[in-house]
Amino acid sequence: MGRLRVPVDSYSYVHGLKACIAASASHVPASALVCEIHAHAIRRCYGLHTHVATTLIDCYAKLGIISYAESVFAAMPERNVVSWTAMIGCYAKNERPGDAIMLFQEMMASDEDLVPNSITIVSILHACAGVNALGQGKLLHAYILRRGFDSLVSVLNALMAMYMKCGCLEAGRHIFNSIGHRKDVVSWNTLISGYGMHGFGHEAVQVFEEMTQMGVLPSIITFISVLGACSHAGLVDEGKRLFESMVDYNVTPRAEHYACMVDLLGRAGHLDEAVELIQSMHIRPSPQVWGSLLGACRIHRHVEYAEMACSQLFDLEPRNAGNYVLLADIYARAKLHSEVGVLKDLLEEHALEKVPGCSWIEVKKKLHMFVSVDNKNPQVEELQALIGEFVTQMKNDGYVPDTGVVLYDIEEEEKEKILLGHSEKLAVAFGLINTGRGEVVRITKNLRLCEDCHSVTKFISKFAEREIIVRDVNRFHHFRDGASVKCMSPASAADRKTPYTSQILMESISVATLREGALKEEHGERLQKFALQQLLHKPLHLEPEITHGKIQMAVQYFNYKGVDFTFLFKLHQ
């Protein structure tokens, strides 16, 4: 078009940008082309056109260039629901779920005419799953039912994934069953993955068998999910059988599948077999494959194979400080302190920094984030003091802090203080202080849960008489009565008689309580009845005195577990 001097319009840029992403096998050349078209659009005064800017945000999101997407979004003079959805999706897909949730709330408060569409709902559900924001997820569930989005399988799949990733296996299974004959391969994959994350490997394999019997062909993702489930449950023979069966479904093993198999074999202690599998690969082993071997070497303290894995990882991922830290941990536990010093020098020489540990907890519908050894948070001192009290009692019962995870050359007492500042411990303490007795404490961590935090959390669950669920980068950890347990079994979940949709609706409304003395009790009940009937699409039978004006006045007195009730009220209109 340019050579022929054909004039371009907004659609030319939109389709050209989409073609850059679709035609490029690698994001490296695609990023240069997208930036070139972006510059051309700016020169032709199309850079801030709504459709062009929205497409740019989507392209930059797929390329992982979040800062460029933010710049385009911030400069847009006009934004529609598609623009907001593109930016929310950008955050959700690029491991910034907290920002996605905040932006969604900003969108809902910015314009009464902005109504989330199904893609918005899927993106924000993905974000809620990323940080265990179960309360926000339940609000979205109520909105989905109110707006009729439950007729869309894509929305139900995202809702099922949200519940399972937030630790509610029962709710996820209920939604899966409610999809009925409309289930697609994504529905099955989500259920298999959910069982795997919760440690139910046998159930995951059973669902896989049921899926194939129903005539649904497994995909690449299906095998990643079921092999991962076998790995977490230690089902070596089942995993081997499924891996070998991939050819029967015309699925060629990729690096991700080999990584799952290496993890499966490595966790089970079959390190020699894992190395043989890597050496027999028909494709070049990826960082995930070598990373799985390195993780297994950490479990079994195998120095030789760890060095083999890192010799590859240092070339494939030269800027990944985590590999250096993991090898240093293996050296430290093997008492090879001189090697630990060498790795520390390499980290400093290349200016590499380990990804800081971050943990999220949702309290009263508000998301809170804690960073390991965070001295800027004013609450850290109070939270560490509470954890310190638990640790003191644990020591009386024979607990010894696992200071081996601290690689600094400092005194043991200082190492113990660093352990007190781990992000998941801070999040647990915050949850105990700010939630009611009997409430489940749900935490998400961006890294693996360390052994010391695992031991401390088990003790706290017993002493505080609370159930604590931690989801780290690999799997779920359920703590109850001083033990690490599984969540409710799938069988017992299926035996429940109460319809889960009704339970969600009642929870979404009934937890909203009137401030004491603000309104008469009967008015509070009527207001709850009004909201519930709106959700259920039933006709209203309220007394004339409960007018719209009085409802608006009542909103001023509502305290929806820390969330502005006007936000919820807008969703229910």
Side-chain angles (χ1 to χ4, degrees):
M1 288 179 68
R3 287 194 299 268
L4 296 174
R5 300 185 181 278
V6 177
V8 297
D9 58 14
S10 61
Y11 293 100
S12 305
Y13 290 110
V14 168
H15 292 296
L17 288 166
K18 290 180 178 179
C20 289
I21 299 296
S24 178
S26 169
H27 284 173
V28 176
S31 61
L33 289 172
V34 169
C35 289
E36 186 176 343
I37 294 177
H38 186 182
H40 193 281
I42 293 173
R43 290 196 299 270
R44 296 295 188 275
C45 299
Y46 280 102
L48 297 180
H49 190 282
T50 302
H51 296 316
V52 176
T54 300
T55 306
L56 280 167
I57 292 170
D58 186 57
C59 289
Y60 285 132
K62 291 175 179 176
L63 295 169
I65 312 176
I66 305 175
S67 59
Y68 284 14
E70 289 175 326
S71 298
V72 174
F73 183 76
M76 291 181 69
E78 294 182 5
R79 301 167 183 164
N80 56 23
V81 66
V82 182
S83 309
W84 285 93
T85 299
M87 194 64 225
I88 291 169
C90 175
Y91 284 137
K93 295 171 186 175
N94 288 281
E95 299 182 0
R96 289 178 56 177
D99 291 328
I101 294 173
M102 291 176 61
L103 188 63
F104 174 71
Q105 293 174 339
E106 181 183 339
M107 171 187 133
M108 295 302 296
S110 65
D111 188 347
E112 292 183 358
D113 295 329
L114 278 175
V115 179
N117 59 28
S118 61
I119 301 175
T120 317
I121 296 300
V122 169
S123 296
I124 198 64
L125 283 172
H126 180 66
C128 290
V131 288
N132 228 332
L134 181 61
Q136 297 286 349
K138 287 183 177 181
L139 284 178
L140 288 166
H141 189 173
Y143 180 70
I144 287 167
L145 296 172
R146 170 69 181 91
R147 291 290 183 180
F149 284 126
D150 55 326
S151 63
L152 301 175
V153 176
S154 60
V155 173
L156 292 178
N157 288 339
L159 187 63
M160 173 171 51
M162 184 277 296
Y163 276 119
M164 288 192 156
K165 289 182 178 179
C166 288
C168 299
L169 188 60
E170 173 191 357
R173 180 71 203 215
H174 177 88
I175 293 169
F176 176 82
N177 293 336
S178 71
I179 300 176
H181 67 279
R182 297 178 295 155
K183 298 184 188 77
D184 58 15
V185 68
V186 178
S187 309
W188 292 96
N189 291 347
T190 303
L191 185 62
I192 291 170
S193 177
Y195 279 149
M197 285 188 296
H198 288 275
F200 292 108
H202 289 290
E203 289 76 7
V205 173
Q206 183 179 348
V207 171
F208 175 85
E209 301 291 351
E210 182 182 348
M211 168 187 175
T212 55
Q213 291 171 7
M214 295 285 290
V216 180
L217 289 177
S219 65
I220 293 170
I221 303 299
T222 308
F223 280 103
I224 293 174
S225 299
V226 72
L227 290 174
C230 291
S231 177
H232 289 148
L235 304 178
V236 177
D237 293 336
E238 287 289 344
K240 289 181 179 180
R241 180 182 64 81
L242 289 167
F243 183 73
E244 292 170 358
S245 72
M246 291 178 65
V247 294
D248 298 334
Y249 300 99
N250 295 320
V251 177
T252 302
R254 296 188 177 186
E256 296 88 345
H257 303 107
Y258 282 104
C260 289
M261 285 303 298
V262 172
D263 186 63
L264 170 65
L265 295 170
R267 285 175 181 269
H270 303 168
L271 291 173
D272 292 336
E273 191 174 352
V275 171
E276 289 175 6
L277 178 63
I278 295 175
Q279 294 172 342
S280 68
M281 288 177 60
H282 65 279
I283 56 176
R284 184 185 180 187
S286 68
Q288 294 94 326
V289 174
W290 291 113
S292 295
L293 179 62
L294 182 60
C297 291
R298 183 190 177 280
I299 296 172
H300 300 287
R301 305 187 181 186
H302 199 294
V303 176
E304 181 183 352
Y305 284 156
E307 291 175 335
M308 176 196 297
C310 283
S311 67
Q312 300 294 325
L313 287 168
F314 291 164
D315 289 334
L316 294 169
E317 297 179 323
R319 303 299 302 173
N320 188 344
N323 296 325
Y324 291 85
V325 173
L326 203 53
L327 181 59
D329 185 26
I330 295 171
Y331 280 149
R333 294 179 183 276
K335 308 298 183 183
L336 300 174
H337 300 296
S338 60
E339 283 80 355
V340 174
V342 171
L343 287 172
K344 288 182 180 179
D345 293 339
L346 286 173
L347 284 170
E348 293 180 5
E349 179 182 341
H350 297 293
L352 301 178
E353 293 186 2
K354 179 187 175 185
V355 176
C358 297
S359 295
W360 293 266
I361 181 171
E362 184 191 44
V363 175
K364 297 178 180 178
K365 305 297 184 298
K366 184 177 180 181
L367 201 60
H368 302 267
M369 183 182 77
F370 296 91
V371 181
S372 293
V373 197
D374 184 3
N375 297 321
K376 297 180 181 180
N377 192 322
Q379 290 184 298
V380 165
E381 188 174 342
E382 177 188 0
L383 301 177
Q384 286 183 327
L386 176 60
I387 296 295
E389 292 179 11
F390 286 124
V391 169
T392 299
Q393 296 184 48
M394 289 174 63
K395 287 182 177 179
N396 295 332
D397 293 340
Y399 159 74
V400 178
D402 186 5
T403 56
V405 300
V406 181
L407 301 179
Y408 301 108
D409 186 15
I410 55 179
E411 298 294 330
E412 287 296 307
E413 184 177 348
E414 292 300 316
K415 290 184 178 182
E416 291 185 21
K417 288 183 180 179
I418 291 177
L419 289 177
L420 292 179
H422 278 197
S423 63
E424 57 269 42
K425 290 191 181 80
L426 299 176
V428 168
F430 183 84
L432 294 177
I433 293 173
N434 293 281
T435 59
R437 187 174 184 83
E439 285 189 58
V440 178
V441 178
R442 303 175 188 273
I443 295 166
T444 300
K445 191 173 190 292
N446 67 329
L447 303 175
R448 180 185 54 82
L449 187 69
C450 77
E451 288 84 349
D452 188 75
C453 288
H454 195 279
S455 300
V456 171
T457 307
K458 281 201 298 186
F459 176 86
I460 292 175
S461 70
K462 178 180 179 181
F463 185 82
E465 298 181 350
R466 299 286 289 276
E467 182 178 356
I468 302 172
I469 300 176
V470 181
R471 192 187 88 210
D472 67 10
V473 69
N474 292 322
R475 58 168 299 170
F476 275 90
H477 304 266
H478 295 257
F479 304 96
R480 189 188 306 122
D481 299 326
S484 180
V485 299
K486 288 185 178 180
C487 61
M488 180 185 291
S489 69
S492 60
D495 291 339
R496 286 176 57 97
K497 302 299 182 183
T498 305
Y500 198 82
T501 301
S502 300
Q503 179 184 339
I504 288 294
L505 288 172
M506 292 306 298
E507 284 187 10
S508 299
I509 301 303
S510 62
V511 288
T513 55
L514 290 170
R515 294 185 187 274
E516 186 175 358
L519 286 175
K520 292 183 180 180
E521 185 178 351
E522 61 267 26
H523 283 187
E525 292 175 353
R526 290 168 186 164
L527 188 54
Q528 288 188 15
K529 182 179 179 181
F530 172 82
L532 185 59
Q533 287 174 326
Q534 284 281 356
L535 288 171
L536 295 175
H537 302 277
K538 291 182 178 179
L540 299 176
H541 299 290
L542 298 177
E543 292 81 357
E545 62 182 31
I546 304 298
T547 62
H548 183 77
K550 288 197 174 184
I551 291 172
Q552 291 283 14
M553 291 177 59
V555 167
Q556 300 176 29
Y557 298 102
F558 253 88
N559 176 21
Y560 191 85
K561 297 280 283 183
V563 173
D564 183 4
F565 184 74
T566 55
F567 169 69
L568 177 64
F569 185 70
K570 180 182 175 182
L571 288 179
H572 292 164
Q573 286 180 331

